Amino acid sequence: MKISVKQSPSGLLAGLGLIVAATFVSPKFNLPLTGGDALLLPTAITLLVAGMFLLMARRNAIAMVLGYIMMENGIYLVGTSFSVRAHHIVEFGILLDVLAGVMIMAIILQNINQAFDDVDTALLRTLKE
Amino acid sequence: MVEIVFLIPLLTGVMAFFLPRTAGRPLLVVTGVIHLVLSLYLWIQRPQALLETYFSISAEGLLSLLVISLLFFLISIYTAAYLKKIEIRSERVFTGSMLLFLSTMTMVTLSDHIMVMWIAIEATTLASAPLIYTHRSAATLEATWKYVLICSVGIALALLGSVLITLSMDIGGVDVPVAFSALTGEAGRLDPLWLKTGFVFILVGYGTKMGLAPMHTWLPDAHSEAPSPASALLSGVLLNCAYLGIFKTNKIMHAAGLAHFSNTILIVLGLVSILVAATFILKQTEYKRLLAYSSIENMGIIAFGTGIGGLGAYGAMLCLIHHSLIKSSLFLSSGNILLGYGSRLIIETGKLAGRMPKTFVAFFGGFAGISGFPPFGIFIGELFIIIAAFRSGHYIAVGIFILSLCVIFAGFAKHVMHISFSDVNVTMRMEEKLIMVWPQYALLLTSLVLCFWIPDSLYQTIIHAVNSIGGGF
């Protein structure tokens, strides 16, 4: 599978700006963090928003899956930072779902690559009104 | 032993992947029968769950479970006949996924823990993705990709919402299990700000899965590209499962005294869905997409009714049950039409009344039911919603609601008339068989019977369910 990754400087700059913004915003939430680590919440917010950004701004299907994983990581980080009550078995279930989800996405990716010789989601535009 | 209801389809689903090709067909029917019997047992006995923190029986869950069970049983009979008619390259994957899909949906109806609910709803996405990809064409690939990605991202937001609800517990100092039933009891002490935020995220997340506009974009593609029995399951019961997640969170909101907040959002999202459906139904070219947009409309009606509350919530529950019964019968009939005409386009199908009279009766009856003709339950449900909306003074909203329903009826009727009576020259590819028609008749008949006679235990269960979200007479 050959993938051309084009880096866009505007996206990188937006990411940097996002980190700064997340650091400024997170103390305003006044959350009772159990870990006491001040960087936890900015990291989570950055991951979440950057993941959404990747999902919306990229046409490459692999970048979209990566965006999904980033988002999921961000949410998980929010979860671990203050809710201690979730049982391990529940966390295991969530992990299993995400794992299986990414696996199924990878299978679809493989099929998209075989069918179109590319992973550009712009090729997937036949079904619309 | 509540858990056995979803463990059995899980077991047979895994088995189906390893058994010989054709063994899956009887396995579907057998599992359907066992599931129906077990669901009826749960309905009558209402036993305790083994893992009480995670699973329990609730009124709304039982209603959905019974609908799922009945639908799956009838759809499995149709599927067994359907699989003989068409070539599916990986039939084992198809039957296995059907059973796993049943198992995960049953788990949704029985889960009480917020996170287990999330796990189960995400698992329904994963189990149903192979069903949509059954025909292995470029279009199905696109539909599956959209379905998995949009729903997974949507449900990820619901996970964030669930996490935020645990945060509202932390701030409020509530120390109970993270279960819907326990939280409803302690709702007054939850932090309102974070509870509201959590509700919005959960509504957007599960609303994506339920097909509420503007998050509905995956739905018409997935429902039209999937094989018809799978579409019937997706539309008939999967959407209800997602609604269940919203319903239970809404219950917490009501118990916390934030009903006005959640109702307003539900009314707005419901109206937007109905409007979107009205716009797209008018110019639709494919009949399966037409049915998919009608599902979006009905989900909008249900969300709207839930938001109105009172009599409207009762009407929404009626719409939920009858939409499942009627829409799955319509999708099964559309499977017959597709097999007969070999085309999904409305323009290439015609004279259904003459060419496939038995399917025509089921299809036309389904159309009459879904568009709210008097003898069917949707009519009563919609009437209750409209009355409740007038009573509570939502005049503009109910105006838009009625107007959209009229537009949808006009569009739907135009297309159905073309399919039924217009003259189109095609050679039929299949004779209709009785076994592929009577499941639809059974579904429509159930809907019809439920209009005139609701068993007392069913009535009590519905009332019990809607009472918790401010519904009832």
Side-chain angles (χ1 to χ4, degrees):
Chain A
M1 204 190 295
K2 202 181 120 227
I3 314 140
S4 60
V5 181
K6 288 189 215 88
Q7 293 281 2
S8 60
S10 55
L12 284 173
L13 271 178
L16 271 174
L18 184 64
I19 297 175
V20 178
T23 321
F24 272 107
V25 160
S26 36
K28 302 227 187 320
F29 282 115
N30 280 328
L31 293 183
L33 293 170
T34 46
D37 201 336
L39 282 179
L40 213 54
L41 202 60
T43 318
I45 294 174
T46 310
L47 275 174
L48 220 130
V49 181
M52 275 189 191
F53 177 78
L54 271 184
L55 271 166
M56 287 187 283
R58 293 285 178 268
R59 284 187 355 194
N60 187 321
I62 295 176
M64 290 170 86
V65 176
L66 286 178
Y68 171 67
I69 300 174
M70 271 176 84
M71 225 181 111
E72 203 72 63
N73 276 340
I75 294 169
Y76 210 70
L77 211 56
V78 177
T80 46
S81 56
F82 41 69
S83 71
V84 270
R85 52 190 96 236
H87 298 275
H88 293 299
I89 188 161
V90 173
E91 299 197 2
F92 181 72
I94 295 173
L95 211 65
L96 198 71
D97 261 0
V98 174
L99 187 75
V102 171
M103 201 179 81
I104 285 185
M105 283 178 199
I107 294 172
I108 304 171
L109 255 176
Q110 180 78 20
N111 282 309
I112 292 177
N113 193 40
Q114 273 172 5
F116 299 102
D117 245 350
D118 201 347
V119 285
D120 188 351
T121 48
L123 296 165
L124 301 174
R125 294 248 167 102
T126 51
L127 296 173
K128 59 178 175 187
E129 305 305 328
Chain B
M1 269 308 276
V2 167
E3 290 83 355
I4 194 140
V5 190
F6 62 81
L7 286 178
I8 284 181
L10 182 69
L11 188 75
T12 52
V14 174
M15 263 164 63
F17 281 98
F18 299 103
L19 286 174
R21 221 174 111 88
T22 50
R25 297 171 196 171
L27 194 66
L28 274 177
V29 182
V30 170
T31 314
V33 173
I34 297 174
H35 194 269
L36 187 59
V37 170
L38 285 173
S39 304
L40 285 173
Y41 168 75
L42 285 197
W43 178 271
I44 295 162
Q45 289 289 330
R46 319 224 167 169
Q48 280 283 319
L50 205 62
L51 298 163
E52 269 183 81
T53 16
Y54 304 126
F55 301 104
S56 79
I57 292 180
S58 60
E60 60 275 13
L62 266 183
L63 280 174
S64 304
L65 179 65
L66 209 61
V67 172
I68 290 177
S69 213
L70 179 69
L71 249 60
F72 187 85
F73 169 62
L74 291 169
I75 290 172
S76 71
I77 294 170
Y78 179 90
T79 312
Y82 181 84
L83 287 175
K84 282 182 200 146
K85 290 274 178 195
I86 62 157
E87 273 301 312
I88 288 183
R89 230 171 54 204
S90 48
E91 202 183 304
R92 271 182 291 206
V93 176
F94 182 75
T95 45
S97 302
M98 283 280 266
L99 290 165
L100 290 182
F101 190 31
L102 172 68
S103 164
T104 50
M105 285 190 298
T106 313
M107 200 165 139
V108 175
T109 61
L110 295 174
S111 54
D112 189 29
H113 196 280
I114 291 185
M115 297 298 175
V116 173
M117 175 72 113
W118 184 86
I119 293 171
I121 292 188
E122 171 68 13
T124 57
T125 313
L126 304 178
S128 52
L131 293 176
I132 299 172
Y133 189 48
T134 305
H135 288 315
R136 309 266 168 123
S137 65
T140 53
L141 198 58
E142 179 184 341
T144 320
W145 170 253
K146 275 190 191 166
Y147 174 60
V148 172
L149 203 75
I150 295 177
C151 284
S152 294
V153 172
I155 298 173
L157 292 180
L159 178 64
L160 184 61
S162 309
V163 166
L164 291 179
I165 287 187
T166 59
L167 172 66
S168 79
M169 291 170 65
D170 274 357
I171 294 179
V174 182
D175 194 25
V176 289
V178 198
F180 286 107
S181 51
L183 281 180
T184 311
E186 298 284 333
R189 287 164 55 208
L190 297 175
D191 182 65
L193 176 67
W194 287 108
L195 184 60
K196 278 189 209 167
T197 323
F199 175 78
V200 171
F201 274 106
I202 286 186
L203 183 64
V204 170
Y206 293 153
T208 308
K209 187 91 193 196
M210 187 181 158
L212 290 178
M215 295 87 74
H216 67 284
T217 45
W218 63 273
L219 195 143
D221 297 344
H223 286 212
S224 65
E225 294 302 324
S228 299
S231 318
L233 269 186
L234 282 171
S235 179
V237 283
L238 179 64
L239 304 183
N240 294 6
C241 286
Y243 173 70
L244 206 59
I246 296 174
F247 185 95
K248 288 194 172 185
T249 321
N250 194 16
K251 232 162 97 170
I252 302 179
M253 295 292 284
H254 274 261
L258 300 168
H260 183 70
F261 178 79
S262 64
N263 283 349
T264 313
I265 306 180
L266 277 169
I267 290 175
V268 170
L269 276 185
L271 276 184
V272 172
S273 307
I274 302 171
L275 277 174
V276 164
T279 320
F280 285 102
I281 275 181
L282 276 180
K283 304 201 91 178
Q284 205 40 252
T285 52
E286 294 179 16
Y287 50 83
K288 281 185 87 173
R289 291 181 81 87
L290 180 73
L291 297 180
Y293 275 108
S294 160
S295 286
I296 296 175
E297 175 221 346
N298 277 285
M299 288 303 128
I301 293 174
I302 291 163
F304 182 76
T306 314
I308 293 288
L311 200 53
Y314 181 74
M317 220 51 175
L318 282 185
C319 279
L320 192 73
I321 296 170
H322 288 280
H323 168 254
S324 296
L325 294 168
I326 298 171
K327 187 52 66 60
S328 53
S329 112
L330 272 171
F331 266 115
L332 294 183
S333 303
S334 80
N336 287 1
I337 300 174
L338 184 57
L339 284 178
Y341 289 84
S343 166
R344 284 206 204 103
L345 295 175
I346 294 170
I347 202 143
E348 289 177 8
T349 43
K351 249 191 191 167
L352 186 69
R355 289 182 174 130
M356 293 174 126
K358 299 192 198 88
T359 308
F360 164 73
V361 173
F363 191 71
F364 207 79
F367 155 68
I370 209 74
S371 48
F373 268 96
F376 290 95
I378 301 255
F379 167 73
I380 303 173
E382 285 172 359
L383 193 67
F384 281 169
I385 292 173
I386 290 170
I387 292 172
F390 272 119
R391 268 192 202 163
S392 57
H394 293 91
Y395 297 114
I396 300 169
V398 79
I400 301 173
F401 180 79
I402 296 174
L403 193 70
S404 312
L405 286 189
C406 295
V407 172
I408 288 169
F409 172 71
F412 211 135
K414 184 184 85 182
H415 297 310
V416 170
M417 288 306 156
H418 189 280
I419 293 173
S420 307
F421 305 115
S422 74
D423 214 0
V424 173
N425 261 329
V426 278
T427 44
M428 301 303 285
R429 303 186 179 189
M430 186 197 76
E431 291 285 305
E432 55 181 350
K433 274 171 51 180
L434 202 59
I435 184 109
M436 290 177 75
V437 187
W438 79 256
Q440 288 97 296
Y441 287 163
L443 287 165
L444 289 178
L445 205 65
T446 318
S447 167
L448 207 58
V449 168
L450 282 181
C451 287
F452 295 108
W453 174 71
I454 296 184
D456 195 47
S457 77
L458 182 64
Y459 175 74
Q460 294 299 341
T461 314
I462 297 176
I463 288 293
H464 187 70
V466 295
N467 267 341
S468 54
I469 55 161
F473 289 100

